[in-house]
Amino acid sequence: MPTESTSRPTSAHPLHSPDFYAGDPYPAYRELRDATPVVWNDVTNFWALTKYEDVRFVSGHPLLFSSTHGITIPDPSQPEPVQEGNLIFTDPPRHRQLRKLINAGFTRRQVSLLEPTIRRVVEDIVKGIDPSREYEFAEEIAAPLPTRMIAEMLGAPPEDWEKFRAWSDAAVGTADPDIEMDHLVALGELYEYFTELIQARRSGETAGRADLLSILAAADVDGERLTDADLLNFSFLLLVAGNETTRNLIALGTVALLDHPEQFAMLRSNPTLVTCAVEEMLRFTSPVTHMARKATADIDIRGQKIKAGDTVVMLYGAANRDEEIFGPTAEEFDITRNPNPHIAFGAGEHACLGAQLARLEARVMFEVLLGTYPSIELTGDVTRLRATMVPGVKRMPVRLGANA
């Protein structure tokens, strides 16, 4: 057992700040992995974990590290609204019960059945591209796919996908001054909207529908069904997690290709690498920066005494470039990397339910987009959303061309 440290090592890096994650955190991650892999932030008071095995350890022990007190980096100026009963804020045994029920909508068969719809949506997006004009890649090309798919999956009218995007942006971009919609206003509107969708399923108005809400409303595991509150919480989770993660995987993955032209050329010349390339995009960009947990008992991690009640933040981007796991090329973008045991979707009990759907959406997007417009030229600076958890691409001006 490592010797317990007598003091808390603190970091000079502003790990509590949205600006840190909207910039380039990777040099700081590397420094921390080498020098202080378990480090205390004394501004908003949390432990940051930067090593792969430590993140997996915390992820694999939900009774020692609870999700019920919040899942984001502490911000005293803007306390996190914990949604009691939401899957992402629950611990075992309730978490396992909820997950079993929700799994009914995310079986391998259910996800595979969505591929024709995903392909149709992507083809509609790509067909609408005018090569003579400049596009905001994240907003105009990457964003429509996941938001339209969520509308489709929940059985919402297709034209409502723009509302979904505005609500999702407001939910994750609370620290960004460019987000026009108020966070609480967005929450109120989306809950009212989802309540109406759920009531329609319960009333029988939508009998015979095969959308996700209908499947989940009818799901039964050992005589238990999801309540309206469960369905409401899950709809919110799907909107935010399903939209933001996939949109930023596509946008940040494209940035990685543009930053590494030799890898981009390899993918264009060998499209069969797209599945492997998506996995490397997930590892290299880690669209979700972190998840937080609260320790329920005193425990040592790498000689640091984590006390009961301390917040522990798992930095996925740091863990996904851990040299002990990914070797001397951990900092390199390599679309042929195999195996690639990244944890961009988390690990353990709370591993992302929609991981296979996000992978499928990204694979189809890159297959269709690069098959039609293999040339992508960045025409301005890439700017990121000011957020600690999902600092996605806000602006990314590009031109697309049919010839490489």
Side-chain angles (χ1 to χ4, degrees):
M1 176 72 69
T3 303
E4 181 182 326
S5 174
T6 57
S7 62
R8 291 176 164 179
T10 57
S11 171
H13 301 291
L15 301 176
H16 61 284
S17 171
D19 295 322
F20 175 79
Y21 301 96
D24 179 8
Y26 292 101
Y29 287 160
R30 183 168 60 250
E31 177 189 316
L32 291 171
R33 282 195 307 271
D34 291 342
T36 49
V38 181
V39 68
W40 178 253
N41 177 278
D42 59 0
V43 180
T44 63
N45 298 328
F46 63 88
W47 288 101
L49 307 182
T50 61
K51 296 288 285 182
Y52 182 96
E53 293 298 348
D54 296 342
V55 171
R56 288 199 68 92
F57 173 76
V58 170
S59 300
H61 292 83
L63 297 181
L64 273 176
F65 299 95
S66 174
S67 300
T68 60
H69 300 277
I71 58 167
T72 63
I73 286 173
D75 181 356
S77 69
Q78 209 165 36
E80 180 180 3
V82 174
Q83 299 159 359
E84 188 176 345
N86 193 319
L87 181 71
I88 205 167
F89 293 107
T90 59
D91 293 334
R94 180 55 180 161
H95 180 269
R96 293 190 188 115
Q97 294 167 338
L98 279 173
R99 192 163 177 121
K100 274 185 181 179
L101 287 160
I102 293 170
N103 269 337
F106 287 91
T107 63
R108 186 177 296 275
R109 179 176 179 276
Q110 285 295 133
V111 172
S112 66
L113 288 174
L114 291 171
E115 181 164 354
T117 303
I118 293 170
R119 196 166 292 276
R120 172 176 54 78
V121 170
V122 172
E123 287 173 349
D124 285 347
I125 294 167
V126 173
K127 284 177 184 174
I129 291 173
D130 177 359
S132 68
R133 58 160 283 212
E134 184 178 271
Y135 283 83
E136 280 290 353
F137 187 90
E139 286 298 308
E140 297 182 271
I141 297 173
L145 172 60
T147 43
R148 285 174 63 176
M149 283 306 303
I150 290 166
E152 178 95 23
M153 290 172 70
L154 291 176
E159 61 271 17
D160 286 352
W161 74 271
E162 287 281 9
K163 293 180 185 177
F164 281 31
R165 182 163 64 177
W167 290 331
S168 180
D169 285 350
V172 302
T174 56
D176 195 293
D178 286 347
I179 300 299
E180 295 179 1
M181 180 175 283
D182 179 79
H183 174 69
L184 294 178
V185 170
L187 287 179
E189 288 184 3
L190 71 90
Y191 272 110
E192 182 179 350
Y193 184 92
F194 288 142
T195 296
E196 291 179 3
L197 287 183
I198 292 164
Q199 288 175 348
R201 273 47 179 191
R202 296 298 197 197
S203 68
E205 292 176 26
T206 55
R209 296 281 295 269
D211 59 76
L212 183 59
L213 269 186
S214 297
I215 292 168
L216 295 180
D220 185 311
V221 175
D222 299 328
E224 182 183 8
R225 290 196 171 194
L226 292 167
T227 66
D228 287 0
D230 292 333
L231 290 172
L232 196 58
N233 284 330
F234 176 71
S235 297
F236 173 78
L237 178 61
L238 178 65
L239 170 65
V240 176
N243 175 29
E244 298 296 330
T245 305
T246 306
R247 169 169 59 176
N248 291 309
L249 165 58
I250 294 168
L252 292 172
T254 302
V255 172
L257 290 174
L258 294 173
D259 286 344
H260 299 83
E262 76 290 347
Q263 297 292 308
F264 198 177
M266 187 189 307
L267 181 58
R268 286 196 301 263
S269 64
N270 186 2
T272 63
L273 287 173
V274 68
T275 298
C276 194
V278 167
E279 295 304 310
E280 181 67 346
M281 291 170 188
L282 284 161
R283 183 197 75 87
F284 191 78
T285 69
S286 296
V288 176
T289 65
H290 75 277
M291 284 283 174
R293 302 287 185 262
K294 183 150 291 196
T296 61
D298 293 355
I299 189 167
D300 285 3
I301 300 181
R302 293 189 190 267
Q304 302 306 324
K305 184 72 170 182
I306 313 294
K307 295 181 179 179
D310 283 355
T311 297
V312 176
V313 171
M314 299 175 285
L315 294 175
Y316 295 133
N320 279 334
R321 297 198 188 185
D322 189 338
E323 297 83 356
E324 290 186 9
I325 304 300
F326 299 99
T329 64
E331 296 283 353
E332 298 175 15
F333 180 64
D334 177 7
I335 66 169
T336 66
R337 189 181 299 276
N338 187 28
N340 190 347
H342 68 77
I343 46 176
F345 288 116
E349 296 253 344
H350 282 276
C352 179
L353 258 175
Q356 296 310 316
L357 177 60
R359 287 178 164 112
L360 178 59
E361 289 182 0
R363 174 176 64 79
V364 173
M365 171 58 84
F366 284 110
E367 282 177 356
V368 176
L369 182 64
L370 300 184
T372 309
Y373 295 105
S375 172
I376 301 177
E377 176 193 359
L378 197 60
T379 57
D381 293 335
V382 176
T383 58
R384 302 282 292 269
L385 183 70
R386 193 173 183 275
T388 55
M389 179 170 269
V390 192
V393 175
K394 187 162 61 174
R395 295 188 183 88
M396 181 183 168
V398 300
R399 286 189 185 276
L400 294 93
N403 298 311

